[in-house]
Amino acid sequence: MNQYKVFFLPDQKKIEVEEGLSLLEATEKAGLFIQSLCGGEGVCGKCKVQIVTGKAKIDKTALPFFTREEIEKGYVLACQMLVREDLKVFIPPESRIEEEQILKESFEMTKKEWMESPPFQYSEPDWISLHKRPSDPASLFEPLTFKVFLNLPTPTPDDNIPDTARILRELRKKLKFADYEFSYSSLKELFLNLRRSDWKVTVTLTRQNDVGKIIQIEEGQRVNQNYGVAVDVGTTTVVAQLVDLKTGRVMGVEGSLNLQSHYGEDVLSRIAYVCGKGSLEVLQKAVVENINNLIKSLTKTKGVKIDEITSIVAAGNTTMSHILMGLMPCSIRDDPYVPTVDLYPKIMAKEIGIQINSNGILQVLPSISSYVGGDTVAGVLACNMADRPEVSCLIDIGTNGEVVIGNNEWMLSCSASAGPAFEGGDTKWGMRATKGAIQKINIEKDEIIYETVGGVKPRGICGSGFIDLLYSLAKHRVLEIDGKFSKSLRDRRLIKGDHEMEYIIAFPEETEKGETITITQSDIDNLLRSKAAIFAAIKSLMDYSGLSFNRLEKIYVAGGFGNYLDVEKAIGIGLLPDLPIERFEFVGNSSLMGARMVLLSYHVLEKAMSISQSITNIELSKFAPFGDEYMASLYLPHIDRERLFPSVKF
Amino acid sequence: MNQYKVFFLPDQKKIEVEEGLSLLEATEKAGLFIQSLCGGEGVCGKCKVQIVTGKAKIDKTALPFFTREEIEKGYVLACQMLVREDLKVFIPPESRIEEEQILKESFEMTKKEWMESPPFQYSEPDWISLHKRPSDPASLFEPLTFKVFLNLPTPTPDDNIPDTARILRELRKKLKFADYEFSYSSLKELFLNLRRSDWKVTVTLTRQNDVGKIIQIEEGQRVNQNYGVAVDVGTTTVVAQLVDLKTGRVMGVEGSLNLQSHYGEDVLSRIAYVCGKGSLEVLQKAVVENINNLIKSLTKTKGVKIDEITSIVAAGNTTMSHILMGLMPCSIRDDPYVPTVDLYPKIMAKEIGIQINSNGILQVLPSISSYVGGDTVAGVLACNMADRPEVSCLIDIGTNGEVVIGNNEWMLSCSASAGPAFEGGDTKWGMRATKGAIQKINIEKDEIIYETVGGVKPRGICGSGFIDLLYSLAKHRVLEIDGKFSKSLRDRRLIKGDHEMEYIIAFPEETEKGETITITQSDIDNLLRSKAAIFAAIKSLMDYSGLSFNRLEKIYVAGGFGNYLDVEKAIGIGLLPDLPIERFEFVGNSSLMGARMVLLSYHVLEKAMSISQSITNIELSKFAPFGDEYMASLYLPHIDRERLFPSVKF
């Protein structure tokens, strides 16, 4: 087969590929990240690249994605363009996933949330309060792996019990487990370890029910060399924290784009890849590589040895968790939406290729259902919802919006397919919250005042920008209550575009590429569908519980999106329920926080399992009232504004 | 380095070896088995071979092992003779370990003991009595690995729990464990297994405390394809039984010489090899190869697939168990005699290279101390000593003689270093009970009547022959009470040998090689030391317990040696206590029987662990009265004959 050279601009990366490979696959090979919401199916139009040298080919079906100007300039969809000759290719900024920025952002958020004002305090000694509620079963600090130093008496004729019995005799003085087990690998070197160290050893244990499992025995005093990693395995980003398991302190945090992004942006396209033409192994390897890279970087920065990391806890949605564990996610996608596993067994991290101590363990947080995963369980843990008598609500707004309500006696969960409109998909100028994204918008008279990420010229609009925009458009009657552009309005910004009405947010002279950034009627329809799905999900759970919204004493908003959200405007468009603003709390990356809590406490792990098993999950597609709630929510803010959104004033 | 050819007779095996290799190592390479009690140290004189072509060299230190005639015929010690030229070597029958015969013998014994009159009966269904005592905790038949068939309901929108939860829901209807765990490997193929098999699967479980561990999930109904292997890992022989875990039936049994024999005959020389110039890995691989070969042969004969074997249970002395598990046995040899492990963890069989189902487990029986191992625990189980109120005694006569006394409330154990005199070592004409060994002797007037193994011309004397002989010599006053040849006796058989007095058992014309088979004064001294050590061990335990011999209602005699023993004569020489003959019972290979009981019942495994932990082991070297008892036992039958051996009449 012929080999061709592809030269990527502006990165100046040159690679050689086999004939017939798609340009999307070629970027991946070159280590470049470009957007691909649909996973290379040619239907999202996000992977536009420009053929600078070579013959550009566009499928007829892809034509609607391009302007005349773009076609003339040689723009193509990278996923549809196959390499048949040497090419020079330019990747425009809007097609690029900007790894560095997402990274930094995650870090800043994490740092702010956990480093400066951690939700719980740690101090020596080992046995301290995690949550400061003595009655809370999560009140014990007991990391999933912990080390105990033993200064053993040397054997004598009067005391010649076996080495293992000698270790257990001392351990029993220090720990209170009903029983102990030695892993085979902990025994292999035991004879030498004991004798070379003059009977001074450090034992690493992990707990399973009432049994202390001895996974490692090291020579000498190594109690202070014990670290763990908490990982949020998001569909888009993977964020890892390095944690000192002796003190509970967070040593550092880093994030990266999920390398699986090459194979589709959302869980459904990842499943389609695994269960269709692709393979589970490829996606598993990708995310394991993410995690290994983060661990390498964190340990290098912090002067920690890989071998000193004895446990890792990962939280992710059900699909991400299945893929990480190497389990087929195919049945998640199809009615009746059955995952393979809910309670993931604790395994050796090396079994799936994660590089920590060779005896180190991996615990993946349990999931609730096919679309309510371990990340949601982690959120429930982080908000401590399941241990308090007052009823609260957790909302994670994403392509799938997960909602949990409940208290220490009952919990309900559901997931609504909201679509990617708030995440940069399904809209003409939508983008993620990376540099150049309009994230805040206010309309004053005829003027539009906006802020972009990074303060640069705008390149598109991200989720929080769309919420502001919808709110302002509704308030100024640009939009009718049904979300349609007002027929009677005369506004220089409201224009007739190629196929439909569009509203101009930024004129060409304001934007980076000299193009007109607009919101179209279709965009608004998609955004309304997204917000309707989420609100209807919350409303359905409340109705199922028989409680009114007012009974919610706390509403936790999770996800990267949350921090930039203007709650008042989110209520104004009918995305969030109409409750006093002080009841809302942004919990940031609660998935990572929950993962770390599990890492630091076996009791929290037990809690997580109990939440996973006791929560009642409502399958909205089978819950008849949801359809009506959804239809009623396709308005600004809602068809039943009087009753449900009395405080919204426009 | 030069290569030389070595041609072995009478096997006609030709091999090429590097210069400087010993002939002992060369035989090993050629796949021939020759005796080597000392492990190639040149001190036992058992590995004599004849150099037919080539230059024979004998070390000065080895001269005492040879007759003048042998030296003239070119006999050498194979372990001391290095290959420096092409050689033709004859291996005489007395130097050979006859694999085939030992094999057959073991098989016959096993067949007789277990196939024709099994000690417990099995029948369908699964939950049946093992021992027929309802109050016995061992009364439940519950194999270490067992299979359960599940016909699962297909998921529906109203019943869309995860695959694992669906399996557990059905399992909980059939089993009563408090909790369940899935092994990682059982989950890997679960998605496909369930869907390919139309939701009909067979689950393989193993129990750990109250937890059912799911180790395998197969498609379809596979309940009847479940087999286990019980192995007696003896220092000399390895015997394996194939057992149907569905019915408890023994399918077949095979034995082979322990391939470690190349590296020394007894445990001390094996330890010396591992902890000196050799390696643990070599010996571990050797015994694993033994086991794998036996399994291959058994499965082939019985039409069972390797993959259908889901568990293996091994019993051996502490050294054999350590080496099998890949654990250093070095501290077993040195004061204060500390083994690494007493309770061996259940591991994956493949972790040490045993080839059964890749998810199959290996359980090694727990040991009691450095010199009282899992084979003794197995013996206690096989004799059901620990569950009965009456006091009984188990005696395993070997190079190390293990003794256990006790009942359902208390147990004592000890080990006495008896030396190899009863096993063919430490005596001029001693040999194992293979073809040509004199195994029964009676002296009538001047006539000696003997029987040999296989009925052929005698080649030497084995243990049971020596006991008969000592008895007859004492009875006929050839020996004084102190074991010395009578000074006053005139007997044509009593001659002056090279260095000392010898008594002729077989004249040249009677023997295979035309040599005179004798027993020397040194032989008798060694035999007395052996029997004194064993009797003193029994006596010490009885004294420690404060009970008289008469309280022993059963005396179980274990070991291959046992079956050929004449109890009356063994009492007569003071080896066994003077009790009514009907109280003695030969239990054959009780190690293998105990291993199989564990294989067939988790409750018996728990019993084994409890025995290992609760038995009081007396270290005879530290037990002051033992020395006196030993001295008093160096007589025929005993210095205190009136009180201890009143029934002995000669």
Side-chain angles (χ1 to χ4, degrees), chain A residues 160 162-164 181 184 208 325 336 338-340 342 619, chain B residues 160 162-164 181 184 208 325 336 338-340 342 619:
Chain A
N160 66 347
D163 294 349
T164 47
E181 285 174 25
Y184 180 50
Q208 188 92 15
M325 291 284 289
V338 175
T340 300
D342 48 356
E619 203 69 71
Chain B
N160 67 347
D163 294 349
T164 48
E181 285 173 25
Y184 180 50
Q208 187 91 16
M325 289 284 288
V338 175
T340 298
D342 47 355
E619 203 68 71

PDB file of all heavy atoms in Angstrom, chain A residues 160 162-164 181 184 208 325 336 338-340 342 619, chain B residues 160 162-164 181 184 208 325 336 338-340 342 619:
ATOM      1  N   ASN A 160       9.035 -19.528  68.129  1.00  0.00           N
ATOM      2  CA  ASN A 160       9.403 -19.866  66.749  1.00  0.00           C
ATOM      3  C   ASN A 160       8.179 -20.056  65.857  1.00  0.00           C
ATOM      4  O   ASN A 160       8.116 -20.961  65.032  1.00  0.00           O
ATOM      5  CB  ASN A 160      10.325 -21.091  66.711  1.00  0.00           C
ATOM      6  CG  ASN A 160       9.624 -22.353  67.184  1.00  0.00           C
ATOM      7  OD1 ASN A 160       8.544 -22.289  67.768  1.00  0.00           O
ATOM      8  ND2 ASN A 160      10.224 -23.496  66.927  1.00  0.00           N
ATOM      9  N   PRO A 162       5.658 -19.230  62.746  1.00  0.00           N
ATOM     10  CA  PRO A 162       5.993 -18.881  61.357  1.00  0.00           C
ATOM     11  C   PRO A 162       6.044 -17.361  61.142  1.00  0.00           C
ATOM     12  O   PRO A 162       5.444 -16.599  61.909  1.00  0.00           O
ATOM     13  CB  PRO A 162       4.844 -19.492  60.547  1.00  0.00           C
ATOM     14  CG  PRO A 162       4.270 -20.548  61.419  1.00  0.00           C
ATOM     15  CD  PRO A 162       4.462 -20.093  62.825  1.00  0.00           C
ATOM     16  N   ASP A 163       6.750 -16.966  60.111  1.00  0.00           N
ATOM     17  CA  ASP A 163       6.878 -15.533  59.803  1.00  0.00           C
ATOM     18  C   ASP A 163       5.511 -14.864  59.671  1.00  0.00           C
ATOM     19  O   ASP A 163       5.295 -13.758  60.182  1.00  0.00           O
ATOM     20  CB  ASP A 163       7.640 -15.343  58.491  1.00  0.00           C
ATOM     21  CG  ASP A 163       9.094 -15.801  58.602  1.00  0.00           C
ATOM     22  OD1 ASP A 163       9.548 -16.054  59.733  1.00  0.00           O
ATOM     23  OD2 ASP A 163       9.765 -15.884  57.556  1.00  0.00           O
ATOM     24  N   THR A 164       4.596 -15.527  58.972  1.00  0.00           N
ATOM     25  CA  THR A 164       3.286 -14.908  58.769  1.00  0.00           C
ATOM     26  C   THR A 164       2.552 -14.748  60.103  1.00  0.00           C
ATOM     27  O   THR A 164       1.926 -13.717  60.351  1.00  0.00           O
ATOM     28  CB  THR A 164       2.409 -15.756  57.819  1.00  0.00           C
ATOM     29  OG1 THR A 164       2.477 -17.123  58.225  1.00  0.00           O
ATOM     30  CG2 THR A 164       2.884 -15.619  56.393  1.00  0.00           C
ATOM     31  N   GLU A 181      -5.658 -11.676  55.394  1.00  0.00           N
ATOM     32  CA  GLU A 181      -5.225 -12.543  54.303  1.00  0.00           C
ATOM     33  C   GLU A 181      -3.940 -11.973  53.716  1.00  0.00           C
ATOM     34  O   GLU A 181      -3.807 -10.763  53.562  1.00  0.00           O
ATOM     35  CB  GLU A 181      -6.281 -12.567  53.180  1.00  0.00           C
ATOM     36  CG  GLU A 181      -7.521 -13.370  53.473  1.00  0.00           C
ATOM     37  CD  GLU A 181      -8.562 -13.221  52.365  1.00  0.00           C
ATOM     38  OE1 GLU A 181      -8.177 -12.914  51.219  1.00  0.00           O
ATOM     39  OE2 GLU A 181      -9.753 -13.401  52.672  1.00  0.00           O
ATOM     40  N   TYR A 184      -0.546 -13.474  47.549  1.00  0.00           N
ATOM     41  CA  TYR A 184       0.576 -14.345  47.207  1.00  0.00           C
ATOM     42  C   TYR A 184       1.851 -13.531  47.013  1.00  0.00           C
ATOM     43  O   TYR A 184       2.926 -13.908  47.487  1.00  0.00           O
ATOM     44  CB  TYR A 184       0.237 -15.135  45.942  1.00  0.00           C
ATOM     45  CG  TYR A 184       1.323 -16.071  45.508  1.00  0.00           C
ATOM     46  CD1 TYR A 184       1.895 -16.957  46.418  1.00  0.00           C
ATOM     47  CD2 TYR A 184       1.781 -16.070  44.202  1.00  0.00           C
ATOM     48  CE1 TYR A 184       2.902 -17.812  46.019  1.00  0.00           C
ATOM     49  CE2 TYR A 184       2.787 -16.932  43.807  1.00  0.00           C
ATOM     50  CZ  TYR A 184       3.349 -17.794  44.718  1.00  0.00           C
ATOM     51  OH  TYR A 184       4.353 -18.639  44.323  1.00  0.00           O
ATOM     52  N   GLN A 208     -11.331  -5.517  52.954  1.00  0.00           N
ATOM     53  CA  GLN A 208     -12.465  -6.107  52.232  1.00  0.00           C
ATOM     54  C   GLN A 208     -13.430  -6.621  53.295  1.00  0.00           C
ATOM     55  O   GLN A 208     -13.127  -7.596  53.977  1.00  0.00           O
ATOM     56  CB  GLN A 208     -11.977  -7.251  51.335  1.00  0.00           C
ATOM     57  CG  GLN A 208     -13.009  -7.819  50.411  1.00  0.00           C
ATOM     58  CD  GLN A 208     -13.001  -7.130  49.047  1.00  0.00           C
ATOM     59  OE1 GLN A 208     -12.058  -6.435  48.699  1.00  0.00           O
ATOM     60  NE2 GLN A 208     -14.055  -7.289  48.285  1.00  0.00           N
ATOM     61  N   MET A 325     -12.666  -0.391  32.747  1.00  0.00           N
ATOM     62  CA  MET A 325     -12.505  -1.736  33.303  1.00  0.00           C
ATOM     63  C   MET A 325     -12.383  -2.805  32.206  1.00  0.00           C
ATOM     64  O   MET A 325     -12.232  -3.982  32.513  1.00  0.00           O
ATOM     65  CB  MET A 325     -13.696  -2.083  34.199  1.00  0.00           C
ATOM     66  CG  MET A 325     -13.778  -1.297  35.499  1.00  0.00           C
ATOM     67  SD  MET A 325     -12.584  -1.862  36.764  1.00  0.00           S
ATOM     68  CE  MET A 325     -13.270  -3.451  37.241  1.00  0.00           C
ATOM     69  N   PRO A 336     -33.332  -2.640  26.794  1.00  0.00           N
ATOM     70  CA  PRO A 336     -33.708  -1.894  28.010  1.00  0.00           C
ATOM     71  C   PRO A 336     -32.523  -1.312  28.804  1.00  0.00           C
ATOM     72  O   PRO A 336     -32.646  -1.202  30.032  1.00  0.00           O
ATOM     73  CB  PRO A 336     -34.441  -2.954  28.818  1.00  0.00           C
ATOM     74  CG  PRO A 336     -33.778  -4.238  28.438  1.00  0.00           C
ATOM     75  CD  PRO A 336     -33.275  -4.077  27.049  1.00  0.00           C
ATOM     76  N   VAL A 338     -29.180  -2.006  29.746  1.00  0.00           N
ATOM     77  CA  VAL A 338     -28.628  -2.834  30.816  1.00  0.00           C
ATOM     78  C   VAL A 338     -27.108  -2.747  30.807  1.00  0.00           C
ATOM     79  O   VAL A 338     -26.470  -3.145  29.840  1.00  0.00           O
ATOM     80  CB  VAL A 338     -29.042  -4.311  30.613  1.00  0.00           C
ATOM     81  CG1 VAL A 338     -28.387  -5.193  31.642  1.00  0.00           C
ATOM     82  CG2 VAL A 338     -30.548  -4.452  30.668  1.00  0.00           C
ATOM     83  N   PRO A 339     -26.490  -2.233  31.856  1.00  0.00           N
ATOM     84  CA  PRO A 339     -25.025  -2.298  31.925  1.00  0.00           C
ATOM     85  C   PRO A 339     -24.583  -3.696  32.334  1.00  0.00           C
ATOM     86  O   PRO A 339     -25.391  -4.493  32.817  1.00  0.00           O
ATOM     87  CB  PRO A 339     -24.680  -1.278  33.004  1.00  0.00           C
ATOM     88  CG  PRO A 339     -25.881  -1.229  33.882  1.00  0.00           C
ATOM     89  CD  PRO A 339     -27.075  -1.586  33.032  1.00  0.00           C
ATOM     90  N   THR A 340     -23.310  -4.019  32.116  1.00  0.00           N
ATOM     91  CA  THR A 340     -22.809  -5.315  32.555  1.00  0.00           C
ATOM     92  C   THR A 340     -22.662  -5.352  34.077  1.00  0.00           C
ATOM     93  O   THR A 340     -23.038  -6.312  34.726  1.00  0.00           O
ATOM     94  CB  THR A 340     -21.441  -5.613  31.893  1.00  0.00           C
ATOM     95  OG1 THR A 340     -21.617  -5.626  30.484  1.00  0.00           O
ATOM     96  CG2 THR A 340     -20.875  -6.948  32.340  1.00  0.00           C
ATOM     97  N   ASP A 342     -22.695  -3.073  37.945  1.00  0.00           N
ATOM     98  CA  ASP A 342     -22.926  -1.857  38.717  1.00  0.00           C
ATOM     99  C   ASP A 342     -21.852  -1.700  39.803  1.00  0.00           C
ATOM    100  O   ASP A 342     -21.267  -0.639  39.955  1.00  0.00           O
ATOM    101  CB  ASP A 342     -24.342  -1.800  39.292  1.00  0.00           C
ATOM    102  CG  ASP A 342     -24.773  -3.091  39.980  1.00  0.00           C
ATOM    103  OD1 ASP A 342     -24.007  -4.079  39.946  1.00  0.00           O
ATOM    104  OD2 ASP A 342     -25.873  -3.123  40.547  1.00  0.00           O
ATOM    105  N   GLU A 619     -36.429   5.503  34.912  1.00  0.00           N
ATOM    106  CA  GLU A 619     -36.101   5.503  33.482  1.00  0.00           C
ATOM    107  C   GLU A 619     -37.091   6.454  32.806  1.00  0.00           C
ATOM    108  O   GLU A 619     -38.251   6.123  32.618  1.00  0.00           O
ATOM    109  CB  GLU A 619     -36.231   4.078  32.950  1.00  0.00           C
ATOM    110  CG  GLU A 619     -35.454   3.784  31.697  1.00  0.00           C
ATOM    111  CD  GLU A 619     -33.955   3.793  31.939  1.00  0.00           C
ATOM    112  OE1 GLU A 619     -33.430   2.856  32.593  1.00  0.00           O
ATOM    113  OE2 GLU A 619     -33.319   4.766  31.480  1.00  0.00           O
TER     114      GLU A 619
ATOM    115  N   ASN B 160     -34.489  -4.098  34.185  1.00  0.00           N
ATOM    116  CA  ASN B 160     -33.240  -3.798  33.474  1.00  0.00           C
ATOM    117  C   ASN B 160     -32.061  -3.625  34.425  1.00  0.00           C
ATOM    118  O   ASN B 160     -31.239  -2.736  34.262  1.00  0.00           O
ATOM    119  CB  ASN B 160     -33.418  -2.580  32.562  1.00  0.00           C
ATOM    120  CG  ASN B 160     -33.654  -1.308  33.348  1.00  0.00           C
ATOM    121  OD1 ASN B 160     -33.930  -1.356  34.542  1.00  0.00           O
ATOM    122  ND2 ASN B 160     -33.540  -0.172  32.688  1.00  0.00           N
ATOM    123  N   PRO B 162     -28.416  -4.468  36.122  1.00  0.00           N
ATOM    124  CA  PRO B 162     -27.158  -4.859  35.458  1.00  0.00           C
ATOM    125  C   PRO B 162     -26.998  -6.377  35.397  1.00  0.00           C
ATOM    126  O   PRO B 162     -27.591  -7.106  36.195  1.00  0.00           O
ATOM    127  CB  PRO B 162     -26.078  -4.240  36.344  1.00  0.00           C
ATOM    128  CG  PRO B 162     -26.762  -3.151  37.092  1.00  0.00           C
ATOM    129  CD  PRO B 162     -28.173  -3.591  37.271  1.00  0.00           C
ATOM    130  N   ASP B 163     -26.177  -6.809  34.458  1.00  0.00           N
ATOM    131  CA  ASP B 163     -25.941  -8.249  34.289  1.00  0.00           C
ATOM    132  C   ASP B 163     -25.488  -8.901  35.593  1.00  0.00           C
ATOM    133  O   ASP B 163     -25.936  -9.989  35.953  1.00  0.00           O
ATOM    134  CB  ASP B 163     -24.853  -8.480  33.228  1.00  0.00           C
ATOM    135  CG  ASP B 163     -25.311  -8.043  31.841  1.00  0.00           C
ATOM    136  OD1 ASP B 163     -26.521  -7.762  31.657  1.00  0.00           O
ATOM    137  OD2 ASP B 163     -24.452  -7.983  30.945  1.00  0.00           O
ATOM    138  N   THR B 164     -24.578  -8.245  36.295  1.00  0.00           N
ATOM    139  CA  THR B 164     -24.058  -8.837  37.537  1.00  0.00           C
ATOM    140  C   THR B 164     -25.177  -8.962  38.572  1.00  0.00           C
ATOM    141  O   THR B 164     -25.273  -9.966  39.272  1.00  0.00           O
ATOM    142  CB  THR B 164     -22.919  -7.990  38.119  1.00  0.00           C
ATOM    143  OG1 THR B 164     -23.311  -6.620  38.140  1.00  0.00           O
ATOM    144  CG2 THR B 164     -21.650  -8.152  37.302  1.00  0.00           C
ATOM    145  N   GLU B 181     -18.580 -12.000  45.409  1.00  0.00           N
ATOM    146  CA  GLU B 181     -17.621 -11.154  44.695  1.00  0.00           C
ATOM    147  C   GLU B 181     -17.388 -11.757  43.317  1.00  0.00           C
ATOM    148  O   GLU B 181     -17.298 -12.981  43.171  1.00  0.00           O
ATOM    149  CB  GLU B 181     -16.264 -11.129  45.427  1.00  0.00           C
ATOM    150  CG  GLU B 181     -16.231 -10.287  46.673  1.00  0.00           C
ATOM    151  CD  GLU B 181     -14.900 -10.451  47.420  1.00  0.00           C
ATOM    152  OE1 GLU B 181     -13.895 -10.810  46.778  1.00  0.00           O
ATOM    153  OE2 GLU B 181     -14.896 -10.255  48.643  1.00  0.00           O
ATOM    154  N   TYR B 184     -12.248 -10.457  38.449  1.00  0.00           N
ATOM    155  CA  TYR B 184     -12.181  -9.606  37.263  1.00  0.00           C
ATOM    156  C   TYR B 184     -12.338 -10.441  35.993  1.00  0.00           C
ATOM    157  O   TYR B 184     -13.062 -10.067  35.071  1.00  0.00           O
ATOM    158  CB  TYR B 184     -10.862  -8.833  37.266  1.00  0.00           C
ATOM    159  CG  TYR B 184     -10.703  -7.927  36.079  1.00  0.00           C
ATOM    160  CD1 TYR B 184     -11.716  -7.041  35.731  1.00  0.00           C
ATOM    161  CD2 TYR B 184      -9.555  -7.956  35.313  1.00  0.00           C
ATOM    162  CE1 TYR B 184     -11.584  -6.204  34.638  1.00  0.00           C
ATOM    163  CE2 TYR B 184      -9.416  -7.119  34.218  1.00  0.00           C
ATOM    164  CZ  TYR B 184     -10.440  -6.254  33.875  1.00  0.00           C
ATOM    165  OH  TYR B 184     -10.293  -5.448  32.785  1.00  0.00           O
ATOM    166  N   GLN B 208     -14.882 -18.087  50.408  1.00  0.00           N
ATOM    167  CA  GLN B 208     -13.896 -17.496  51.309  1.00  0.00           C
ATOM    168  C   GLN B 208     -14.695 -16.951  52.485  1.00  0.00           C
ATOM    169  O   GLN B 208     -15.402 -15.956  52.353  1.00  0.00           O
ATOM    170  CB  GLN B 208     -13.140 -16.370  50.585  1.00  0.00           C
ATOM    171  CG  GLN B 208     -11.977 -15.787  51.333  1.00  0.00           C
ATOM    172  CD  GLN B 208     -10.679 -16.513  50.992  1.00  0.00           C
ATOM    173  OE1 GLN B 208     -10.599 -17.228  50.011  1.00  0.00           O
ATOM    174  NE2 GLN B 208      -9.663 -16.327  51.815  1.00  0.00           N
ATOM    175  N   MET B 325       4.925 -23.662  46.726  1.00  0.00           N
ATOM    176  CA  MET B 325       4.364 -22.304  46.686  1.00  0.00           C
ATOM    177  C   MET B 325       5.410 -21.263  46.275  1.00  0.00           C
ATOM    178  O   MET B 325       5.093 -20.074  46.177  1.00  0.00           O
ATOM    179  CB  MET B 325       3.801 -21.930  48.058  1.00  0.00           C
ATOM    180  CG  MET B 325       2.537 -22.659  48.463  1.00  0.00           C
ATOM    181  SD  MET B 325       1.039 -22.042  47.616  1.00  0.00           S
ATOM    182  CE  MET B 325       0.801 -20.446  48.400  1.00  0.00           C
ATOM    183  N   PRO B 336      15.878 -21.186  65.207  1.00  0.00           N
ATOM    184  CA  PRO B 336      14.767 -21.875  65.890  1.00  0.00           C
ATOM    185  C   PRO B 336      13.691 -22.475  64.968  1.00  0.00           C
ATOM    186  O   PRO B 336      12.549 -22.572  65.404  1.00  0.00           O
ATOM    187  CB  PRO B 336      14.179 -20.764  66.756  1.00  0.00           C
ATOM    188  CG  PRO B 336      14.398 -19.512  65.975  1.00  0.00           C
ATOM    189  CD  PRO B 336      15.648 -19.725  65.172  1.00  0.00           C
ATOM    190  N   VAL B 338      11.951 -21.819  61.938  1.00  0.00           N
ATOM    191  CA  VAL B 338      10.789 -20.974  61.659  1.00  0.00           C
ATOM    192  C   VAL B 338      10.417 -21.095  60.182  1.00  0.00           C
ATOM    193  O   VAL B 338      11.205 -20.728  59.317  1.00  0.00           O
ATOM    194  CB  VAL B 338      11.127 -19.494  61.969  1.00  0.00           C
ATOM    195  CG1 VAL B 338       9.976 -18.596  61.561  1.00  0.00           C
ATOM    196  CG2 VAL B 338      11.459 -19.329  63.435  1.00  0.00           C
ATOM    197  N   PRO B 339       9.236 -21.594  59.857  1.00  0.00           N
ATOM    198  CA  PRO B 339       8.811 -21.556  58.464  1.00  0.00           C
ATOM    199  C   PRO B 339       8.324 -20.154  58.092  1.00  0.00           C
ATOM    200  O   PRO B 339       8.066 -19.334  58.971  1.00  0.00           O
ATOM    201  CB  PRO B 339       7.662 -22.555  58.417  1.00  0.00           C
ATOM    202  CG  PRO B 339       7.112 -22.561  59.793  1.00  0.00           C
ATOM    203  CD  PRO B 339       8.237 -22.207  60.736  1.00  0.00           C
ATOM    204  N   THR B 340       8.224 -19.866  56.806  1.00  0.00           N
ATOM    205  CA  THR B 340       7.692 -18.558  56.396  1.00  0.00           C
ATOM    206  C   THR B 340       6.196 -18.500  56.633  1.00  0.00           C
ATOM    207  O   THR B 340       5.681 -17.521  57.156  1.00  0.00           O
ATOM    208  CB  THR B 340       8.001 -18.309  54.898  1.00  0.00           C
ATOM    209  OG1 THR B 340       9.422 -18.297  54.734  1.00  0.00           O
ATOM    210  CG2 THR B 340       7.458 -16.972  54.429  1.00  0.00           C
ATOM    211  N   ASP B 342       2.413 -20.669  57.671  1.00  0.00           N
ATOM    212  CA  ASP B 342       1.699 -21.864  58.123  1.00  0.00           C
ATOM    213  C   ASP B 342       0.377 -22.015  57.352  1.00  0.00           C
ATOM    214  O   ASP B 342       0.065 -23.071  56.858  1.00  0.00           O
ATOM    215  CB  ASP B 342       1.494 -21.881  59.639  1.00  0.00           C
ATOM    216  CG  ASP B 342       0.969 -20.558  60.183  1.00  0.00           C
ATOM    217  OD1 ASP B 342       0.849 -19.587  59.406  1.00  0.00           O
ATOM    218  OD2 ASP B 342       0.681 -20.493  61.390  1.00  0.00           O
ATOM    219  N   GLU B 619       8.540 -29.048  70.418  1.00  0.00           N
ATOM    220  CA  GLU B 619       9.840 -29.084  69.751  1.00  0.00           C
ATOM    221  C   GLU B 619      10.716 -30.033  70.572  1.00  0.00           C
ATOM    222  O   GLU B 619      11.197 -29.679  71.640  1.00  0.00           O
ATOM    223  CB  GLU B 619      10.423 -27.670  69.720  1.00  0.00           C
ATOM    224  CG  GLU B 619      11.450 -27.431  68.642  1.00  0.00           C
ATOM    225  CD  GLU B 619      10.858 -27.474  67.235  1.00  0.00           C
ATOM    226  OE1 GLU B 619      10.126 -26.550  66.849  1.00  0.00           O
ATOM    227  OE2 GLU B 619      11.138 -28.471  66.542  1.00  0.00           O
TER     228      GLU B 619
END
